Amino acid sequence: MKKQLDKPFPPFTAEKIAKYLNCPFEGNGKTIIKGVSSLEKAKKGDLVFSTQRKFRKSLENTRASAAIIPTSKTFSRITVIKSENPHLSFIKVIELLHHPELPKPGIHPTASVSPSAKIGSHVSIGAFSCIGDHVEIGSRTIIFPLVTIYPGVTIGQDCIIHSHVSIRSSTEIGKGVVIHNGVTLGSDGFGYVKEKDGSYTKIPQIGKVIIKDNVEIGANTAVDRAALDSTVIHSGVKIDNLVQIGHNVKIGENSIIAGQTGISGSVNVGKNVVMGGQVGIADHIEIGDNVIIAAKSGVSGNIPPDVIIAGYPHQDIMTWKKIWASLSQLRPLIKEVKRLKKRLEKIENKEK
Amino acid sequence: MKKQLDKPFPPFTAEKIAKYLNCPFEGNGKTIIKGVSSLEKAKKGDLVFSTQRKFRKSLENTRASAAIIPTSKTFSRITVIKSENPHLSFIKVIELLHHPELPKPGIHPTASVSPSAKIGSHVSIGAFSCIGDHVEIGSRTIIFPLVTIYPGVTIGQDCIIHSHVSIRSSTEIGKGVVIHNGVTLGSDGFGYVKEKDGSYTKIPQIGKVIIKDNVEIGANTAVDRAALDSTVIHSGVKIDNLVQIGHNVKIGENSIIAGQTGISGSVNVGKNVVMGGQVGIADHIEIGDNVIIAAKSGVSGNIPPDVIIAGYPHQDIMTWKKIWASLSQLRPLIKEVKRLKKRLEKIENKEK
Amino acid sequence: MKKQLDKPFPPFTAEKIAKYLNCPFEGNGKTIIKGVSSLEKAKKGDLVFSTQRKFRKSLENTRASAAIIPTSKTFSRITVIKSENPHLSFIKVIELLHHPELPKPGIHPTASVSPSAKIGSHVSIGAFSCIGDHVEIGSRTIIFPLVTIYPGVTIGQDCIIHSHVSIRSSTEIGKGVVIHNGVTLGSDGFGYVKEKDGSYTKIPQIGKVIIKDNVEIGANTAVDRAALDSTVIHSGVKIDNLVQIGHNVKIGENSIIAGQTGISGSVNVGKNVVMGGQVGIADHIEIGDNVIIAAKSGVSGNIPPDVIIAGYPHQDIMTWKKIWASLSQLRPLIKEVKRLKKRLEKIENKEK
């Protein structure tokens, strides 16, 4: 858990917030801060932040009462709080002012909870949620209404599981995990053996899914269980909506995967990898640490650490950009070669 | 609501239907119409429609008893109704003959409805659906079984919300909206700030989702709430299945988005835009009115109004087609240049 | 149903398992087999299989007690069972040793089952599942908790329907079908007619979805109902997660479709077709039998039987590979042509 800051009480003034953030301020410290806003939509009483180069211009037009700005900048029309990381400081103010409405602890009388389930303290289980045999749920975890947790699942402390999530049997979930609506964890991997008559026999998928601490998984994403071992999502991984994670995949710590990306079976993704949206990774590929994969790339071979790739088939991003730049020259080139050929023929004919 | 036509009573004859459509007919007006069908599957008693150039051929082989055809055409083997827009007229006949089986008004005794929710007249709420605090639902709206509506949501009149939909807190939905199964509205946008240790801190997503009138959203689609302001889907927008709409996106009136397309955060889509399937749009892009984006395009820059684009990286569709046409000439071109080089060398050697 | 093998009783020895598989063994037949494993994770008591060329190396390092190996191979460090198809034999052993934990027959007291539904013998219906009017469910079929089955659906024997599945009205499902979590079957097809004012009028989707025997459908996939006729998934088809199947599509027997692929309306897919992940198929396309479509391909024209295609726009896979190989030569080619032009000019100048 993050270190708790010493929270001030309302009414919040610019001075109080600056002190809370451990940042200096300039201007009227008595300015009342009622909320946060984007630069465009801000009204009186709002706090905004700006890190933009053209931040002066963006601030000139805002109706906000105060702004968090980079330490190196100055601005005098409104009260400013100076931060080394204005965005992070702004997030801390959001967390101070906004408390997401979460269900209260307690098991809803309509929930179907197995007598063999072990439920921690201050857990919330919503209406019509189904908790299977031998499930374990850690303290303060929130299960929204209409969630299905199959038998043998373990869920750590301080998790949030939204409505219409399915967590299939034997899945293991760490602490502080957030799972958005409609996610399926632990569905069967896609594995078949072809028979002589052309039909497919299913390979039983008897492995499981392990989700480590502080992972977040976006709406309607699916993570398949392993055939024999485990599909593993390591700590701090952030997965967007509608992503497909195949069986036996491993995703390294603090990697981040944007929407609609698909990772085929047995892929091994390193740490701190960043994948754009709609990326596709073929099965059994190894992706090194710190790799960045541009949106819509199709990866069909191993990727060494610390590179940026793009395209399908994937290439080093600079190569890919050069190829696409040169493509526009292909048609003129075809014409040029025809012209050269004629000129050459002319010379050849003379020589005869 | 559309103007109600003056509906005839059964048995429906070709004459009655023609009158209902305000269209002329030719042939036997007493022909009984029992149903509608495709040209291929039609049987006696069915009405079909044809707008095809080769419509004569398609009608020759049908077993339908009557057809709606363009005003400019003639056909005498079966009874025909002549319409300026045969497809639209056919839709009106489907609506006349087919009444989708919808749940009856009333709140199912098992539904979990907050006492603070305001439910309009003739609303249907299905079994095990959960309606949170301070939710407002307009008259005649149908909530199927097993739907979750988080606190503070407002839903207009005459909406249809199918099973396993999640509508997260503070979402605003207009009139006549249809939401298919498994949709998530208002899940957190995908926003993080990277810390020095490589981990990500979540940017609280405190904005909301606004869906205007007559929008339709396909199965298992996800629409994220804004970070601070609103993600807005304007009136008349039609979204297909498994689409991803990121935070702070705006989609203009009457735009249409095919399946599995992904729109990244803060994209601004104009009016009357058409996107094919599996399109991807990078974040913060502006797409002008009336733009058409071919399936599978990857858009990474702003698009002016009234253009047709394709490809990844995206290009004007004609340019894209020419590039792909010329690509097949690349290999012969490489050989041709080698040959020209040899011929040139031969001449150069002679000159020495 | 498959022919039942004559199952041995525990404790399972290598000899007993070999006999059960009708395969010869070499080494100590008394070796106790407690479980199955991958080569890497195997421990004492585990059975593994190896079909790899470098299978000797893979077996040298395993801690497994026994292995299933190809008939042509020999290996003496551990007990081996020799099979003509080691993977299929291994699957049979998994099925012998592992019994997936499935819900017991019986209707959960909280389930909402219409009095007009016909439920077969030994059916399981989970908590809070909703079974509509006139639904028919075959013997031994398992409906997990929180499933919605709309009115008029028929489901055959020995099916498994996981939590949070929506099966819309009039869908017909055969025998032995497995449907994973979050799937939507029978949502409206995506069909509209554009009005003069730019708005869209919905084309009523009054057809249905037919799923034949032994089909498996992955998590969060959506299959739309036909406009007038039927969307048909034929016997033995296997569909992965997050796939989109449009209205009026037909998928032929034993075809296999990987994750996040999208098939547009009225596409006709042959038998034994294999599609990789994230493939997109434009509407009204015909795909012949035995076609293989590489991942991420975009198909916009008919495909004859027995070909392998790749790319977008799609091409014969060999052509596609050659084009991509030649692309890296484009930039040097542009330079080469410039050099040739200069050399030609030099000669031309001399000739003057």
Side-chain angles (χ1 to χ4, degrees), chain B residues 262-275:
Chain B
I263 302 183
S264 303
S266 303
V267 168
N268 204 337
V269 177
K271 297 176 188 177
N272 307 310
V273 169
V274 176
M275 294 190 202

Side-chain angles (χ1 to χ4, degrees), chain B residues 45-59:
Chain B
D46 281 343
L47 175 76
V48 296
F49 83 101
S50 179
T51 56
Q52 303 167 46
R53 280 206 213 152
K54 298 178 187 172
F55 96 111
R56 187 165 305 277
K57 202 175 173 186
S58 67
L59 286 177

Side-chain angles (χ1 to χ4, degrees), chain A residues 105-148:
Chain A
I107 299 176
H108 195 278
T110 64
S112 173
V113 180
S114 163
S116 63
K118 288 181 188 165
I119 311 295
S121 63
H122 301 280
V123 164
S124 173
I125 300 179
F128 313 122
S129 278
C130 296
I131 314 296
D133 295 341
H134 307 293
V135 167
E136 292 182 33
I137 301 179
S139 300
R140 296 176 302 280
T141 281
I142 294 165
I143 313 280
F144 274 79
L146 294 163
V147 168
T148 311

Side-chain angles (χ1 to χ4, degrees), chain A residues 255 270-275 286-293 303-309:
Chain A
S255 285
K271 296 176 187 176
N272 307 311
V273 170
V274 176
M275 293 190 202
E286 303 273 327
I287 312 261
D289 294 346
N290 311 311
V291 167
I292 297 174
I293 304 179
I303 310 292
D306 305 305
V307 298
I308 306 179
I309 61 165

